[in-house]
Amino acid sequence: MTTSSFTRRSLCAAAVSVATIVALPSLSWADDPIRIVVPYPPGGPLDVTARAIAEEARADLGNIIVENKPGAGGNIGVEYVSKQKPDGKIFVMGALATHAVNPNLFSKIPYDPIKDFTPLTLVAQTPNVLVITPEFSQKTGIKDLKGLIDYAKKNPDALNYASGGNGSAGHMSGELLKTSSGLKIMHIPFKGAAAAQMSVLSGQCDLIFDNLASSAANIKAGKLIPLAVTTQFRAPELPNVPTMAEAGVPGFDISTWYAFFGPANMDKSVQDKLNKALVKAIKSQAMAVRFEKMGAVSKPGTSADLDAFVKAELAKYKKIVEASGAKVD
């Protein structure tokens, strides 16, 4: 073998090695972190749940980072993910607001909840609970839902209710109560559930349809009084608290739900891998304990299940939004 032949072969071998090294990152998710975007501020139920699931899924998916991109009722973070590459390295914890309510509530929305996303899996559903403070109850004499409705009818425009943002389950619950009972109550949206609940605890706002996960601790501590839950069935954590229907508003059924979505056009193999890992994490014993404490019902399933669910929710909330006349420009 001549020196030049040896040199050429060595260079070729080196080139193959370099090419192999360069190609490795695209073959292994463990080399680059996966990003889960939460379109709401830190500390809320979605944020806490996303971080817990990320911890459970790391064994199968490698390093996972949770990023908060709040704003515009969740629209900013969701739109951001819709414009990313569908390579499995980024997906969003969407919710009732972002994928069922906002498309009906906002005059213009920067994404299509169906066409711009790849459904991965539903995560969980949580009832909301209508709460007031003991101080507010003492001042107004309101002790139950009937008392609240009577007071609001006798004092139109005197009350207000807080929510975690336009399009949230709390917002829709308030609007449904108003249209169902003929009430005039002002809506005051905040940037997240934590800020909304604090406004009620501080006396800034009168009442809130709060996520049970957010309000459970303060209900237990006696800082909030539960009047009714928004689902068709009573929450196991609040067995003595009636449903809205039982308390006098027939047909009332609203729950907060959250799910994982990737950008549109994700390869089926990547979609299936993410679904498998996320469903496994959601079904873990650690998450079962968390969901129980939150009053949430675990709902992992197939990507097709989530697609059908979102389409049904879009149709449901189109009717609620239209009946309420609520609109955000």
Side-chain angles (χ1 to χ4, degrees), residues 100-106 167 171-172 175-176 179 314-328:
V101 177
N102 289 359
N104 292 306
L105 183 67
F106 284 74
H171 179 199
M172 289 296 97
E175 293 304 306
L176 185 55
T179 57
L314 274 166
K316 172 182 175 179
Y317 283 95
K318 180 180 181 181
K319 294 180 180 178
I320 293 176
V321 170
E322 288 179 348
S324 72
K327 212 68 182 174
V328 178

Side-chain angles (χ1 to χ4, degrees), residues 7-321:
T7 301
R8 284 196 299 270
R9 290 186 180 183
S10 298
L11 289 172
C12 287
V16 170
S17 298
V18 170
T20 303
I21 293 171
V22 170
L24 279 177
S26 65
L27 299 176
S28 174
W29 281 352
D31 294 315
D32 292 321
I34 288 176
R35 292 186 293 155
I36 299 178
V37 172
V38 174
Y40 298 100
L46 268 73
D47 179 65
V48 172
T49 301
R51 293 178 188 280
I53 292 174
E55 188 65 33
E56 293 297 315
R58 284 191 176 104
D60 292 313
L61 298 178
N63 189 21
I64 304 175
I65 297 172
V66 176
E67 296 181 1
N68 298 89
K69 291 185 179 294
N75 291 351
I76 290 176
V78 172
E79 179 194 10
Y80 173 79
V81 172
S82 73
K83 298 183 183 305
Q84 305 305 304
K85 294 180 180 179
D87 57 6
K89 294 293 184 70
I90 186 169
F91 48 94
V92 66
M93 172 77 94
L96 166 71
T98 62
H99 280 72
V101 177
N102 289 359
N104 292 306
L105 183 67
F106 284 74
S107 299
K108 294 181 180 179
I109 195 165
Y111 59 85
D112 185 296
I114 302 298
K115 295 179 181 178
D116 290 341
F117 297 93
T118 298
L120 296 176
T121 180
L122 188 62
V123 176
Q125 289 180 275
T126 308
N128 286 333
V129 57
L130 173 58
V131 294
I132 58 176
T133 62
E135 293 78 12
F136 179 76
S137 175
Q138 185 175 8
K139 180 177 74 173
T140 60
I142 296 172
K143 299 184 183 301
D144 53 26
L145 181 60
K146 183 179 183 302
L148 174 64
I149 292 174
D150 290 343
Y151 185 93
K153 285 184 176 180
K154 292 176 182 177
N155 302 276
D157 297 316
L159 299 181
N160 60 57
Y161 75 97
S163 82
N166 288 314
S168 65
H171 179 199
M172 289 296 97
S173 295
E175 293 304 306
L176 185 55
L177 172 62
K178 288 163 62 177
T179 57
S180 299
S181 304
L183 306 182
K184 292 184 178 181
I185 304 176
M186 181 183 295
H187 173 227
I188 301 179
F190 287 82
K191 293 183 178 180
Q197 185 189 128
M198 184 56 64
S199 74
V200 174
L201 290 168
S202 66
Q204 179 185 356
C205 292
D206 300 324
L207 53 109
I208 182 175
F209 283 91
D210 201 10
N211 190 295
L212 182 55
S214 298
S215 60
N218 281 322
I219 290 174
K220 186 176 181 181
K223 295 180 180 180
L224 291 172
I225 299 174
L227 302 183
V229 294
T230 61
T231 44
Q232 290 182 323
F233 303 98
R234 294 192 180 195
E237 294 73 25
L238 301 172
N240 297 321
V241 178
T243 66
M244 292 289 291
E246 289 174 334
V249 186
F252 203 108
D253 181 25
I254 289 181
S255 65
T256 295
W257 57 262
Y258 23 105
F260 287 119
F261 301 87
N265 303 314
M266 184 179 288
D267 185 86
K268 186 67 165 58
S269 63
V270 175
Q271 180 185 23
D272 290 344
K273 181 172 182 177
L274 286 173
N275 172 270
K276 183 178 179 180
L278 291 170
V279 168
K280 178 182 175 183
I282 294 165
K283 288 183 176 180
S284 68
Q285 183 58 35
M287 288 307 303
V289 172
R290 281 183 174 272
F291 285 135
E292 183 177 0
K293 289 181 178 179
M294 293 168 62
V297 179
S298 177
K299 291 284 187 178
T302 67
S303 299
D305 289 339
L306 176 56
D307 182 58
F309 177 77
V310 172
K311 289 175 180 175
E313 288 287 279
L314 274 166
K316 172 182 175 179
Y317 283 95
K318 180 180 181 181
K319 294 180 180 178
I320 293 176
V321 170

